[in-house]
Amino acid sequence: MAWTTSLCMVLCMAFSVQGFGLRDNPVEGDDVQYLDGSWIATHQMSGPVKSCQFTENMDYNVGETSSGSAPASNQQDCCTLCGQRDDCVIGVYHSSTCWFKTAQDVAKPMPQDGRVACKPQRSPGSTIALSNATVPGDLITDLEMAGKVGDPLYELNFKNATLWGFGVWNYTKTIKFTDMDVKNIAGYSTAGSDVVLVFDGIKMGANIYMNGKLLGTANDQFLRYNFSLGQAMNSGNGGNGLQVQVGDNKLVVSFDASIDTGGRFMACTGGWDWAPYTTTLESSTNSATFTRGIWKSVYLVTVNGGGAAIEHVIPQIFYTGPYPTAPLPANEHSDFKVDVIVKFYAPRASEGTLSVHGEWGSSEHQHISLTAGSGVSHTVSLTASAKNISLWWPSGLGPQPLYTIAVSYTADSAHHTHDDTNADATAVSTIRKVGFRYVALVTGNDTDPSYVKKASTSQTTADFGMYFRVNGAVVFNRGANMIPMEELEGRMNAVAFSRLVQSAVDGRMNMLRVWGGGIFLPDIWYDECDRLGIMVYHDMQYAQNGHSPSNNPVQDAELRHQIRRLSHHPCIVVWDGCNECRVKMGTATGIYATFVMTVVMQEDKSRPIWPSCPAIGWTAGVHALDATPTGDVLTTPNDARSIETHGPYQHGGGFPSVNGDNRLVLFPSNIPIKVSQIDTGVALQNVFASEFGCSVFSSFESMSPTLHPSHWGVHAGLPPDNCTGGFHSRCSGNNPMAERNYACDNIIQVYFGENDKLDSVGEAIFKQQLYHCILGQALVIKSNIETRRSTNQFGIVVWQYNEIWPTGGWGSIEYGTPRPGQVIGGRWKPLHYFYRQSIFTDVTVACGGDGLCYVKNDIAKAFSGTVVISAIAFANAQVTTLESKTLSLATGPGVTEWIQVDFSKINPPDQVITATIMNADKEVVCDNVIPLTEPYKMKLLKANVKVSVGSKNPGGSVDIHLTTDHVAMYVTVTTLAAGRFSDNALLLLPAGKTVQFLPFSDTVDMSLLQSSIRVEDVSVYM
C-alpha cells in the first residue's frame, strides 16, 4: 500500500480549512476582522563557512547533546561539517568524531581536556520563503505543504530538525487599514476608541511587531494575547511610538528558539511514551520541543469611541436547594442562581447598558460604569426556576438541554472620530451556551444522614471513597484519558474532534479526562461534550519534567484566561491541578494548592475542585459534601486512604525501543478472570480509578503509511537499535520501529504463543502481527475491567483514549487526523468494540473460571430482564445453555447479583462462554464473549470467514455480510472508509451474521468501502 506525495498534498489541502472550525469565542467589539488564512513565512539559512575559530579543551552540554555526530578526520573537517548544518553553532572534535552543538547546547559550556570547539564563521545564506503559510497552523505543516520536508511522521523524519528546530522564523501578514481604522487607533487617548490585535494562541516564544515596532513577546501557548494598537501609538501612555497608515501595514510574528517559555507549551511536544521523541530541547527547562506556530486565530477588534469590548462571559451556575442524595425530579427541584460575570476592555471610562438574557425567560438590564482598562468586571444575577428549565444529565441518564445566555453592552454615546460628533453606539454582543446541573464530588458516605449533617459544615473531604453525583444521581463513570489529537497543530481538524467525542458516547463512555500534559482543547470538543453528555475531568496543563508551575504573572493570566474561557461548559465537572503531582503542603508540590488551584477557585466557585489526579483530598478550602470551593485557603492532607488510583499499566516490551523493557518478560494473561463474591454499593468504601492501561499498536491501515514497505513488520526487518536509559531510552541505530514507542512482543506471545515471525516483514505478516497486538491489548483491558466491575469501584477511566500518531501507544481509537490510511476522528480498535459490547454497558455480566458470575447494575435506574449464560463448542458450534435467570435489580450503581454456574463439564480449549443480558423488551443490552483460555490454546478449526458489502440502507448505513464454515473467534473487519461497524471483534457462528457499516459523515464512499474491506480471525493466523 503506497501513498504518493501528491495524494498527501491533496488531503492536507482539503482538510486545512477545518482549522477554521476550531476558533475560540472571540473578544467581541464593534467589529471583528479575522486575519486567518494565508501568511508568508521566512527563514534566513546559514551560508557557507568562510573561516573557523578553534577553542582548545572545551565542550558543551556533555552527555545531553541531541543533534548527533559524524566522523571527522580533524578539527577543520569538524568545523566544515558543522557549518553545513543550519542547527549547528559549534562542532566539538574528539577522537575522530564531530559532535554537533546547538544554541541550546552552547548555553551550557563544560571545559573538557582533549576536546576542541570548532566554531564556523558563515557567510550570509539563502532565505527560505513559504508564500502560503497557514494561520491557524504550525511551521512543520507549512514546510510539508510547501514541499520543503516530507511527512514528519514518516519513518524517522521527526528527528531531522534542520529546518524547523532552530533560529528565527518570521510569519508576516499585510494588514490593510481603512481611514476609519487609523482614526480609531489614533483616537485612543482622545475619543476612547481603539483597535486591538488579538492572538488566541501562539506556540513557543515569539516577538510580535507592527510596522517594525515591538508590540510584545508571547511565551505561553495557553494564553490569549491582546495588543492595544492605540496604546502602542500613544508614547506617553506606555506605548512605543507605533505608526500606522491607511493601506498596507506589516504585522510580523518572529519565532525565536532562544526565547524562554518556562515550559508553557504542550508537555508532550517532542515526545511522551506514546508520542514521537524529537531531537530539540528548550534549554531553560530541558523540555523537548517540536513544531511552533500561530496555532489559533488572529483578529482585530474595533472599539468605537466611548465604547467597550467584551473579553469574557463567565456564567456561574449554583443550585439553591438542599444537598440531593437521589435524582432530582424534573421541574420539581429547587431553582438555580446564574451569576453572569462579564469582563470588559474599555480604552477609557465608559457608561452604558448591560443586558443579559437567559433563553429560559429571565433577563436583566443594568446601567453600569466601566473604568478604563482590561479585565473590568461586572456581574449580573439571574434566576432559573425549575418550571422553566430541564436538567442537563450525563450520557445514559437523561437528555442534555442547553440554553443560550445572550449578553450585550450598549454605550450611552460614542465619539466617532471621523466627524467628532456624538451618536448612539451600537450594541456589542455575544452568547454562551449553558446547562443546568448540580455536580458533587463525593468522598464520604453521603447515604448516611449523620455524615451529610456533619459534612455540611466541614471543609475537610473524607477518605471513604470517591464518586460523582450529578443532580443527585450517583454516576458510575467509565471512560478514558484524552490526549491531544495532534503534535502538529496545523493538522488539527474540527470534524475529527467532533467525531472523537461521538465515538466516546458510541463506546458507552460517559467521562473523558483532559490529561495535564497536553492542551486546553478547542471549543468544539467541549461543545460536543456538552451536547452529548460526556463528563469532563479536567487537569490544568502541568505535568512536571520542565512543565511545573511558577507563581508569576504569565501563568496567573493563563489560568484565569482558560477558566474564564471554558467555565460555561456544563460538561466540565471538576478542575484539578495537574497530572500525577501529589500535592503536599510545605513541599515543592504545595504550589498547586497555594497558587494553581487558588487561582482556579477564585475564577470558578460553581463546580468541584481537586488537588491533582490522582489525589487524596483537601483539609480546607472546599465544602466537604461536594468539593466546591469555599473561598478559604486551600490545604491538603499529608496522608489518607487512597481513594483514587493510577495503574497498573501493562507496558509492551521484548524488543529494544524508546519505551518499555528490551527483554521479553511475559505476564499472566488474567484469562479466565478471578472474582470473589463481595458486597457492593455506594454505602460501602469504594475507589475511583482514573488511569490504568495497556500499550498497543494500531491497524495495518494506520501504521503502514508512515513506514517504508521494507519496514512493514513489528521489528522493521532491521537489526535492533541499542536502546538505553530507562523509561525514555535513547536508541542508537536506524530502526524506525524502535522509535514507535512500545514494542508488542510480550503482549503477542502471552495471548498467541511463541512467535518466530516477529522479525519478518511484508504486508501479510505485518497484518498478522498487528492483529495479534491490538487484540492482545483488548483482552488485557477486558479482563482488567471485568475484574474491577466485580468490586466496588465507581470510576473506571482507562489510559488512554486516542492516539497522537500511528505508534505503540495506549489508545482504543487510532490516530484521527485525515491523513493517508487514517479515519477522521480515529478508527475503532477491537478494545473500543469490547467497551460497547459488554465492559462499559450500564448492566454487565462476567464470569470467573470457577463459574462464579456476576450481573452488575451500574446505572441510577432499576433494571428488569434476563441473563442467559451458554457454552459454545468450537468443534461443532453446539450451544449449551448453562444458566437462564430472570433479573430484578434495584437502582444502581453498584448493585450486584452473584450467580454460581456449573462449569464442571467445560473444557476451556474446546469451548467459549457467552453471557447475554436482555431487558424487559427483549433488547440485548450486554453481549459478552468470555474466553476461559488464551486464544492460542483454543482448539479452533480453520474457519473460512468471508466478508461482503451489501446494500446501502435508508439511514445511510451499509449492510456487511459475514459468513463462516466453523466457529470463528474475534472476527475483525477493517476498511479505509471513514466509519465504524455496529459490531466487530466478534464471535461468528456458521449461521453467519450481518452487521452495519456506520459512516462518520452523511455520505459513504462505497467504492472505497468495497475495495478496502478485509476480515481477520484467530484461526486464519494459526
Side-chain angles (χ1 to χ4, degrees):
M1 186 184 298
W3 297 94
T4 65
T5 301
S6 60
L7 175 59
C8 176
M9 296 290 283
V10 168
L11 283 169
C12 292
M13 292 174 67
F15 288 104
S16 65
V17 295
Q18 294 298 334
F20 295 110
L22 300 169
R23 286 174 174 167
D24 292 351
N25 287 312
V27 176
E28 289 287 1
D30 293 287
D31 182 61
V32 175
Q33 176 189 349
Y34 278 91
L35 304 178
D36 296 349
S38 180
W39 289 48
I40 296 172
T42 56
H43 173 61
Q44 185 71 40
M45 296 288 290
S46 298
V49 176
K50 59 181 181 179
S51 63
C52 295
Q53 176 183 332
F54 301 104
T55 304
E56 300 287 338
N57 302 320
M58 179 56 70
D59 202 342
Y60 304 87
N61 201 19
V62 176
E64 297 294 334
T65 297
S66 58
S67 290
S69 61
S73 56
N74 52 49
Q75 61 190 40
Q76 182 65 49
D77 188 23
C78 180
C79 182
T80 301
L81 288 170
C82 176
Q84 294 170 353
R85 294 173 57 112
D86 193 51
D87 60 331
C88 184
V89 175
I90 292 177
V92 173
Y93 178 72
H94 178 65
S95 300
S96 300
T97 300
C98 184
W99 296 90
F100 303 122
K101 303 293 180 174
T102 67
Q104 289 98 323
D105 294 327
V106 172
K108 299 177 181 179
M110 298 179 180
Q112 298 284 317
D113 289 344
R115 304 184 184 187
V116 180
C118 314
K119 183 176 182 179
Q121 305 295 321
R122 297 178 172 96
S123 302
S126 61
T127 298
I128 297 177
L130 309 180
S131 60
N132 197 28
T134 301
V135 172
D138 76 279
L139 172 60
I140 295 178
T141 300
D142 288 334
L143 287 166
E144 183 188 7
M145 293 291 291
K148 300 295 184 182
V149 300
D151 180 354
L153 301 185
Y154 184 78
E155 289 280 308
L156 300 175
N157 286 352
F158 50 89
K159 289 187 168 296
N160 182 6
T162 301
L163 283 182
W164 66 69
F166 308 99
V168 174
W169 273 92
N170 292 322
Y171 273 66
T172 302
K173 182 78 169 180
T174 298
I175 303 175
K176 292 186 178 296
F177 282 139
T178 66
D179 178 68
M180 191 64 197
D181 293 328
V182 173
K183 288 181 177 179
N184 272 325
I185 296 170
Y188 172 81
S189 59
T190 57
S193 59
D194 201 359
V195 174
V196 182
L197 174 64
V198 181
F199 292 87
D200 276 339
I202 298 176
K203 183 178 184 181
M204 307 311 296
N207 291 316
I208 294 92
Y209 299 89
M210 175 76 77
N211 294 337
K213 293 291 187 177
L214 178 66
L215 298 179
T217 300
N219 57 4
D220 187 325
Q221 180 181 357
F222 311 122
L223 178 58
R224 183 171 70 190
Y225 288 89
N226 300 344
F227 299 104
S228 163
L229 301 185
Q231 184 178 18
M233 179 180 281
N234 186 355
S235 300
N237 192 27
N240 60 7
L242 170 69
Q243 296 295 315
V244 296
Q245 61 191 20
V246 175
D248 291 352
N249 295 266
K250 187 177 181 181
L251 172 62
V252 178
V253 179
S254 182
F255 289 93
D256 187 338
S258 67
I259 295 175
D260 181 14
T261 73
R264 295 319 300 146
F265 56 91
M266 184 173 78
C268 61
T269 295
W272 214 268
D273 69 331
W274 36 260
Y277 289 102
T278 62
T279 60
T280 53
L281 298 171
E282 180 178 62
S283 59
S284 66
T285 61
N286 208 36
S287 301
T289 63
F290 197 10
T291 194
R292 38 186 164 161
I294 307 169
W295 75 294
K296 288 193 173 187
S297 289
V298 187
Y299 50 98
L300 295 166
V301 180
T302 299
V303 182
N304 288 336
I310 297 175
E311 294 181 318
H312 288 283
V313 173
I314 313 151
Q316 304 274 283
I317 298 177
F318 302 91
Y319 181 60
T320 62
Y323 180 78
T325 55
L328 295 174
N331 305 118
E332 296 179 8
H333 50 78
S334 297
D335 297 343
F336 285 84
K337 179 187 178 188
V338 185
D339 289 341
V340 183
I341 304 166
V342 185
K343 299 285 185 179
F344 293 94
Y345 164 67
R348 70 174 190 183
S350 176
E351 293 188 356
T353 300
L354 174 61
S355 298
V356 179
H357 174 72
E359 186 181 355
W360 59 93
S362 179
S363 298
E364 185 74 23
H365 307 278
Q366 296 181 4
H367 190 268
I368 63 173
S369 298
L370 301 175
T371 57
S374 176
V376 180
S377 182
H378 196 87
T379 302
V380 173
S381 294
L382 304 177
T383 297
S385 63
K387 65 181 180 181
N388 293 329
I389 60 170
S390 295
L391 295 171
W392 184 96
W393 291 95
S395 176
L397 285 177
Q400 294 81 40
L402 299 172
Y403 297 86
T404 298
I405 294 178
V407 176
S408 66
Y409 176 72
T410 306
D412 289 344
S413 62
H415 295 285
H416 291 279
T417 55
H418 64 285
D419 60 4
D420 293 326
T421 62
N422 292 335
D424 291 338
T426 58
V428 175
S429 60
T430 189
I431 64 170
R432 297 292 185 272
K433 291 282 190 179
V434 299
F436 293 97
R437 84 286 182 274
Y438 169 59
V439 177
L441 192 165
V442 184
T443 56
N445 180 11
D446 66 354
T447 67
D448 180 355
S450 65
Y451 167 77
V452 173
K453 181 178 180 180
K454 178 181 177 181
S456 64
T457 58
S458 172
Q459 294 193 15
T460 300
T461 56
D463 61 4
F464 187 80
M466 177 175 169
Y467 56 79
F468 289 88
R469 283 191 188 269
V470 178
N471 304 327
V474 178
V475 182
F476 169 68
N477 284 120
R478 65 273 199 177
N481 285 262
M482 173 85 184
I483 63 169
M485 292 194 75
E486 265 299 343
E487 281 282 6
L488 305 168
E489 288 83 358
R491 294 184 176 188
M492 284 170 55
N493 183 290
V495 177
F497 277 103
S498 176
R499 169 46 54 186
L500 192 61
V501 179
Q502 184 67 59
S503 286
V505 173
D506 292 344
R508 304 195 194 277
M509 295 179 175
N510 62 19
M511 174 172 275
L512 293 173
R513 172 182 168 226
V514 177
W515 173 71
I519 59 173
F520 295 96
L521 292 161
D523 279 13
I524 190 169
W525 186 86
Y526 300 96
D527 291 341
E528 290 298 284
C529 289
D530 288 344
R531 185 177 68 85
L532 295 171
I534 290 292
M535 299 168 64
V536 176
Y537 185 147
H538 209 304
D539 292 8
M540 297 302 102
Q541 291 308 305
Y542 294 108
Q544 292 61 258
N545 300 319
H547 299 273
S548 299
S550 296
N551 187 346
N552 60 44
V554 171
Q555 292 188 38
D556 183 281
E558 171 199 315
L559 291 166
R560 294 187 192 279
H561 166 64
Q562 292 295 344
I563 301 303
R564 292 170 184 177
R565 172 188 158 230
L566 297 174
S567 60
H568 69 279
H569 289 286
C571 65
I572 300 174
V573 296
V574 61
W575 301 116
D576 79 279
C578 55
N579 174 62
E580 295 180 346
C581 59
R582 179 58 200 283
V583 181
K584 198 169 184 179
M585 310 309 296
T587 71
T589 59
I591 191 173
Y592 289 102
T594 59
F595 168 56
V596 175
M597 294 313 295
T598 294
V599 172
V600 173
M601 172 264 293
Q602 290 169 351
E603 293 293 333
D604 185 4
K605 294 184 173 62
S606 69
R607 53 174 50 86
I609 59 173
W610 201 232
S612 59
C613 182
I616 55 176
W618 301 103
T619 51
V622 299
H623 299 283
L625 270 176
D626 59 12
T628 58
T630 64
D632 295 332
V633 173
L634 293 166
T635 59
T636 62
N638 288 329
D639 198 14
R641 173 178 172 267
S642 180
I643 57 176
E644 183 184 13
T645 63
H646 278 195
Y649 306 93
Q650 183 53 61
H651 302 86
F655 184 75
S657 54
V658 289
N659 299 117
D661 198 328
N662 295 344
R663 303 166 301 159
L664 180 63
V665 180
L666 303 185
F667 55 90
S669 69
N670 199 19
I671 294 178
I673 65 171
K674 298 177 178 64
V675 297
S676 300
Q677 185 167 338
I678 64 169
D679 293 332
T680 59
V682 295
L684 301 172
Q685 282 194 335
N686 55 82
V687 72
F688 193 104
S690 48
E691 275 194 28
F692 63 94
C694 176
S695 65
V696 63
F697 285 128
S698 291
S699 68
F700 174 81
E701 283 73 5
S702 178
M703 296 284 293
S704 61
T706 66
L707 297 164
H708 189 275
S710 65
H711 298 152
W712 283 354
V714 292
H715 293 174
L718 294 171
D721 280 8
N722 180 26
C723 300
T724 58
F727 178 76
H728 169 205
S729 294
R730 296 187 182 276
C731 296
S732 175
N734 63 352
N735 192 315
M737 292 305 292
E739 296 290 343
R740 262 58 184 178
N741 299 105
Y742 287 97
C744 202
D745 296 32
N746 57 339
I747 296 168
I748 291 172
Q749 296 197 39
V750 163
Y751 292 98
F752 296 95
E754 292 185 17
N755 194 318
D756 60 359
K757 297 180 179 179
L758 297 181
D759 288 333
S760 302
V761 294
E763 181 173 338
I765 193 64
F766 201 24
K767 286 177 178 177
Q768 174 183 328
Q769 295 163 350
L770 295 174
Y771 171 79
H772 284 166
C773 179
I774 60 181
L775 184 55
Q777 181 230 20
L779 292 170
V780 170
I781 298 301
K782 181 175 185 290
S783 294
N784 186 309
I785 292 177
E786 287 177 348
T787 304
R788 288 175 184 273
R789 290 193 73 172
S790 74
T791 66
N792 209 37
Q793 296 194 17
F794 291 97
I796 295 179
V797 184
V798 183
W799 184 266
Q800 62 196 44
Y801 180 39
N802 55 306
E803 301 287 11
I804 203 169
W805 72 311
T807 189
W810 299 79
S812 64
I813 297 288
E814 293 182 353
Y815 178 50
T817 298
R819 300 281 297 187
Q822 316 309 320
V823 166
I824 190 166
R827 182 182 288 109
W828 287 28
K829 300 182 189 181
L831 174 58
H832 212 74
Y833 288 102
F834 283 6
Y835 289 149
R836 180 172 175 80
Q837 291 164 1
S838 65
I839 55 179
F840 274 173
T841 53
D842 292 334
V843 185
T844 194
V845 57
C847 299
D850 59 358
L852 180 60
C853 304
Y854 69 87
V855 177
K856 187 84 169 283
N857 181 20
D858 275 325
I859 192 75
K861 303 173 184 176
F863 178 82
S864 296
T866 58
V867 61
V868 177
I869 300 171
S870 304
I872 297 177
F874 294 139
N876 57 14
Q878 180 179 339
V879 180
T880 302
T881 300
L882 305 175
E883 184 77 31
S884 180
K885 185 176 179 60
T886 300
L887 299 172
S888 182
L889 301 175
T891 298
V895 174
T896 307
E897 181 168 339
W898 295 91
I899 306 170
Q900 183 64 57
V901 181
D902 184 4
F903 279 8
S904 62
K905 297 181 180 180
I906 300 297
N907 185 26
D910 296 325
Q911 295 163 290
V912 68
I913 302 299
T914 63
T916 303
I917 299 174
M918 291 180 288
N919 63 19
D921 295 325
K922 306 299 182 182
E923 299 167 327
V924 174
V925 297
C926 177
D927 194 10
N928 193 0
V929 176
I930 304 172
L932 298 181
T933 191
E934 298 84 359
Y936 78 94
K937 295 179 181 177
M938 295 175 180
K939 295 180 179 179
L940 294 163
L941 300 176
K942 192 81 168 183
N944 183 20
V945 180
K946 294 183 178 180
V947 59
S948 61
V949 177
S951 58
K952 186 175 180 181
N953 299 313
S957 66
V958 180
D959 286 339
I960 306 295
H961 304 297
L962 296 167
T963 61
T964 182
D965 55 349
H966 298 294
V967 174
M969 287 293 294
Y970 305 121
V971 174
T972 301
V973 187
T974 310
T975 177
L976 289 171
R980 66 172 179 88
F981 297 92
S982 59
D983 196 10
N984 211 349
L986 53 86
L987 169 65
L988 185 64
L989 302 183
K993 185 172 185 177
T994 296
V995 299
Q996 284 71 48
F997 177 75
L998 306 172
F1000 283 169
S1001 64
D1002 294 336
T1003 59
V1004 58
D1005 186 334
M1006 290 294 292
S1007 176
L1008 183 61
L1009 176 61
Q1010 291 168 339
S1011 64
S1012 67
I1013 197 164
R1014 64 185 183 92
V1015 65
E1016 299 166 287
D1017 73 291
V1018 172
S1019 76
V1020 74
Y1021 296 129
M1022 294 181 74

